Amino acid sequence: MVALNPVLAAVLRNTLGRRRGVTGCLFTFHRAARPEDWASLPDRDFYVDIGFLDRLLAYLARHGWSVVTIEEAIRRSAAGDPSKFVNFSIDDCYRDTFELVVPLFRKHGVPVTLFVTTGIPDGTHVMWQAGLEQTVRERDTVVLDGKIVDVASPARKRAVYNAKARAWEGREPLEYAAFCAANAVDTGAVYANHAMTWEMIEAVVDDPHVEIGSHTVHHPHVASLSEEAAFCELERSRLRLEERLDIEVHHFAFPYGRAGDCGPRDFALAGKAGYRSASTTRKGLLTAGADPLHLPRNTLNGRHQQMHHAELHLTGISGLAARVLNRV
C-alpha cells in the first residue's frame, strides 16, 4: 500500500472535518508484544508491536493530536470541539496491558482506556486463545484430533493456530478443554502468564493515565443473547468493577463490536445498564453530536503497523471504505 503524503492526509482530515463535523478518532487493540517476540507469535493479528505504538504516540504528538479519555472524547463530541484528538482503548485486558501498555502511555504522559472483561481477573473466562497460542508457540509438535502435528517453524505455528481457531468457532471452550487434555496443558500456568489480575488492575486504578471501562463478564456476542442475558452481561461487569475497585464505571465496549455483534437493542441496553457511552469496532470518525451509545472505533492489529495505516483511520478513509464494502 502506498503511504499517504502528509499534506494530502491533512487536506483530507480538514475536508472531512468541515463536511461532517469530525472531532476525533478512537483506536482500539487487544494485546501488545515486544519487537523481539514478534516473529514467534502465532496470532500476530491479535497484537500491536509495542515499538510501533511508541512511534505512533510520538507521531501524533508531533502532528498536534491530543490523546484523551473516552470521557473527554464524548464531551468534545457533544460540544462540537474542532480540535484534533484520539483515544486509545484496550479490550479484554491481559498481563501485557499491565506490563507493556500502561507504562508506555505513562512514559508519553497520555491516557489509555482499559475495557476489562471481568471474567479474566475473576478467573472464570476460558482463555482459549492464549492457551492455544502459548502451547503452539512453545512446542515443536502438538496433538490435534489424535494426530501428532508439526509446529516447529514460525510459519507452521501461525498456520496451525489460525486453522484451529477457525475450526473451533462457536464451541471454543469444549474444543480447548479437549486440546488441553490431549496436550497436558497447564491451564493454571496459562492464566498466570496471560491474565491481568485484580491486583494489577488495582495497581493502576488511581493512575491519572488510566481510565477503566467494562467489556462484559464472559465476552459474548451480545446481539446473540436474549435481552435479559445481554443486560445481565452489561450490568454485572459494571457492578463487579465498581465493587472491586471502589470506582464509578461509565463506559462500555461491546465484544467483537461489528454490526452483527451489537445493534439498536444493545445500544439501548447499555444506557439502561448505567453507561454514558458504548463503543463498537465499526470504523469511522467521531463526529460532533454523535450518539455516545454507539461510538465508532478503529482497530489496530498486526497487519497494519505503518503510519499510513494510522492515517487511513485518522482521515476517515478506512471507515468510508468499510461502509462502501459493507464490512461493518
Side-chain angles (χ1 to χ4, degrees):
M1 183 180 291
V2 178
L4 282 184
N5 178 283
V7 175
L8 175 59
V11 169
L12 287 168
R13 281 195 299 270
N14 291 337
T15 301
L16 287 171
R18 285 195 299 271
R19 288 183 177 176
R20 303 173 57 213
V22 170
T23 57
C25 179
L26 311 182
F27 288 113
T28 186
F29 61 101
H30 288 86
R31 303 201 65 173
R34 296 177 179 87
E36 58 269 27
D37 295 329
W38 196 255
S40 66
L41 291 174
D43 188 19
R44 290 183 187 175
D45 285 353
F46 204 52
Y47 292 79
V48 170
D49 186 317
I50 199 71
F52 166 71
L53 196 56
D54 191 11
R55 295 190 298 276
L56 177 56
L57 288 170
Y59 175 88
L60 292 168
R62 287 197 307 273
H63 290 273
W65 291 87
S66 300
V67 181
V68 303
T69 60
I70 288 286
E71 181 74 18
E72 176 63 10
I74 62 172
R75 186 199 69 78
R76 292 192 185 193
S77 171
D81 188 332
S83 61
K84 299 191 301 184
F85 67 89
V86 300
N87 167 264
F88 287 86
S89 58
I90 308 171
D91 288 359
D92 303 346
C93 296
Y94 295 87
R95 188 182 186 96
D96 43 88
T97 298
F98 177 74
E99 294 180 339
L100 299 179
V101 179
V102 171
L104 176 66
F105 279 77
R106 189 182 295 132
K107 183 186 86 167
H108 283 268
V110 296
V112 62
T113 303
L114 311 187
F115 284 120
V116 180
T117 299
T118 56
I120 292 179
D122 275 337
T124 60
H125 179 63
V126 178
M127 300 182 70
W128 70 268
Q129 287 174 292
L132 174 61
E133 181 177 42
Q134 178 179 316
T135 306
V136 169
R137 184 183 181 189
E138 291 179 345
R139 303 186 187 185
D140 290 334
T141 61
V142 292
V143 177
L144 296 173
D145 303 320
K147 300 177 182 178
I148 297 176
V149 177
D150 168 44
V151 289
S153 71
R156 284 292 300 158
K157 293 178 189 298
R158 291 194 295 273
V160 169
Y161 176 88
N162 290 328
K164 298 315 294 181
R166 287 192 299 270
W168 290 2
E169 187 172 359
R171 55 183 192 279
E172 293 92 346
L174 289 175
E175 295 284 1
Y176 178 58
F179 173 83
C180 290
N183 290 277
V185 175
D186 183 344
T187 56
V190 169
Y191 179 85
N193 287 340
H194 296 279
M196 189 174 185
T197 65
W198 283 119
E199 290 73 21
M200 293 174 187
I201 299 170
E202 288 166 345
V204 302
V205 70
D206 293 324
D207 190 320
H209 301 105
V210 173
E211 177 182 47
I212 302 291
S214 165
H215 196 49
T216 73
V217 178
H218 299 110
H219 204 274
H221 294 268
V222 173
S224 70
L225 304 177
S226 69
E227 183 170 331
E228 181 181 3
F231 180 78
C232 186
E233 281 284 344
L234 272 63
E235 184 182 49
R236 282 179 56 204
S237 58
R238 178 180 63 79
L239 294 176
R240 179 64 174 134
L241 288 164
E242 292 183 340
E243 176 269 331
R244 177 69 192 229
L245 303 175
D246 193 25
I247 60 172
E248 292 185 352
V249 174
H250 301 298
H251 307 292
F252 175 77
F254 285 99
Y256 309 102
R258 299 183 69 177
D261 306 309
C262 50
R265 181 206 70 170
D266 309 305
F267 305 146
L269 285 177
K272 183 180 177 182
Y275 296 105
R276 292 178 187 164
S277 79
S279 296
T280 70
T281 57
R282 302 177 194 183
K283 292 182 176 65
L285 295 170
L286 183 58
T287 57
D291 184 346
L293 290 176
H294 53 97
L295 300 176
R297 290 188 299 166
N298 302 276
T299 302
L300 299 172
N301 62 39
R303 287 173 292 173
H304 304 137
Q305 300 200 94
Q306 300 294 330
M307 291 308 155
H308 64 271
H309 292 129
E311 280 288 3
L312 290 173
H313 296 316
L314 293 167
T315 57
I317 291 175
S318 61
L320 178 61
R323 289 189 292 276
V324 168
L325 297 172
N326 198 31
R327 293 180 180 175
V328 296

